[in-house]
Amino acid sequence: MAALAFPNITTSAKLSSGVTYSYVHIPPNHSEPYLLFLHGFPSSAYDWRRQIEYFSERGYGLIVPDLLGYGATDKPKEKEAYRLKKMCDEVVEILDICGVEKVVGVGHD
């Protein structure tokens, strides 16, 4: 869903676990921090569209993934793929790919 709402700032990455995640990545313009927006279940990065506009206009860096099973991110059939530790490691790998060392986390459910 991130790709539909923000096609020019959405990217994807195949992670070491073998799954591909779709996510919005906007580097900060100034000394503002990165914000990591994580959607609830069931949902997608599209839910953050207003926050993406608001915070990007103010220079914040943003990482907003479609989490596993939602939006344009892979949807594995095996339930083991959705274990919390595995999914957390995948989000950390996205941050590593983007070169982001520190974030302010924002979530909802």
Side-chain angles (χ1 to χ4, degrees):
M1 291 298 202
L4 292 176
F6 300 98
N8 297 330
I9 55 173
T10 301
T11 189
S12 64
K14 186 169 184 109
L15 305 182
S16 60
S17 63
V19 297
T20 299
Y21 272 74
S22 174
Y23 56 94
V24 169
H25 177 214
I26 302 172
N29 287 336
H30 310 291
S31 61
E32 300 298 342
Y34 263 98
L35 304 177
L36 171 65
F37 286 97
L38 299 174
H39 63 77
F41 301 94
S43 193
S44 71
Y46 182 75
D47 283 359
W48 296 113
R49 65 194 176 282
R50 290 182 180 89
Q51 289 79 10
I52 290 169
E53 288 181 27
Y54 180 87
F55 287 103
S56 65
E57 288 171 358
R58 285 154 181 80
Y60 287 85
L62 303 174
I63 304 288
V64 190
D66 279 328
L67 294 175
L68 195 65
Y70 296 95
T73 293
D74 284 352
K75 297 159 187 62
K77 296 197 184 306
E78 327 65 63
K79 64 181 179 181
E80 294 77 25
Y82 297 89
R83 293 189 183 269
L84 185 59
K85 173 72 168 112
K86 181 181 177 299
M87 291 177 65
C88 288
D89 289 344
E90 290 168 348
V91 171
V92 169
E93 189 172 347
I94 292 169
L95 296 175
D96 289 344
I97 289 168
C98 295
V100 178
E101 295 180 11
K102 186 175 179 182
V103 298
V104 175
V106 181
H108 80 82
D109 197 10

